[in-house]
């Protein structure tokens, strides 16, 4: 949860007026660590230090087109990343991984004894 800049400044002003970290934490119902972090940097971070994505969008889209019915662990192996990374990248791109019964991997489902 992000607190407003005015609230942060109010808490830090209380510290400057003689209140201890423990007293301020109890009075404002905050963690002492939060107050110490605010003392170091009042403003919240607005930019990232690192590149946000390991998997480029165009590479993943191309992989989905070439292998539409692959599992996430298979994509992860090909793209040298984790299954979780594939999951988040697909979600970011709005791609749903529903299986298509017409593809070769799912043919065994059609041959089962279950009537359709």
């Amino acid at each position: 949860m992000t607190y407003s800049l005015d609230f942060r400044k109010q808490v830090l002003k209380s510290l400057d007026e003689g209140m201890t970290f423990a007293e301020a934490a109890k009075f404002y119902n905050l963690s002492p660590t939060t107050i110490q972090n605010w003392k170091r940097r009042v403003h919240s971070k607005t930019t990232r230090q690192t590149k946000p994505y390991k998997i480029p969008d165009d590479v993943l889209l191309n992989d989905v087109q070439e292998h539409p019915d692959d599992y996430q662990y298979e994509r992860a192996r090909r793209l040298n990343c984790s299954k979780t990374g594939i999951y988040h990248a697909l979600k970011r791109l709005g791609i749903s991984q529903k299986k298509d019964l017409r593809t070769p991997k799912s043919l065994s489902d059609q041959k089962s004894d279950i009537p359709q």
Side-chain angles (χ1 to χ4, degrees):
M1 178 172 144
T2 304
Y3 292 96
S4 69
L5 183 59
D6 293 336
F7 180 71
R8 291 173 186 228
K9 287 182 179 180
Q10 179 183 351
V11 173
L12 294 176
K13 184 178 177 186
S14 298
L15 289 176
D16 292 339
E17 293 174 351
M19 194 179 276
T20 66
F21 281 98
E23 292 170 342
K26 188 172 184 176
F27 182 78
Y28 291 106
N29 196 22
L30 296 169
S31 165
T33 306
T34 300
I35 299 173
Q36 290 173 352
N37 290 338
W38 289 352
K39 187 115 174 125
R40 279 186 263 135
R41 186 188 65 248
V42 177
H43 299 283
S44 59
K45 292 182 180 181
T46 57
T47 59
R48 292 180 75 149
Q49 295 286 333
T50 60
K51 185 179 175 186
Y53 306 118
K54 179 178 179 179
I55 308 164
D57 292 347
D58 55 342
V59 173
L60 183 59
L61 287 172
N62 188 31
D63 187 66
V64 170
Q65 287 176 349
E66 289 179 13
H67 311 282
D69 205 29
D70 276 2
Y71 293 104
Q72 290 180 4
Y73 74 90
E74 293 170 322
R75 288 188 204 291
R77 195 177 306 139
R78 267 196 308 278
L79 299 177
N80 194 26
C81 61
S82 67
K83 291 186 301 186
T84 308
I86 293 291
Y87 166 78
H88 290 295
L90 290 171
K91 187 173 182 180
R92 179 181 75 235
L93 294 173
I95 299 173
S96 173
Q97 286 299 104
K98 294 186 172 74
K99 298 299 176 186
D100 185 3
L101 292 177
R102 295 171 295 194
T103 58
K105 280 189 178 179
S106 300
L107 283 179
S108 61
D109 292 340
Q110 289 180 345
K111 294 177 184 176
S112 67
D113 296 335
I114 300 171
Q116 293 187 7

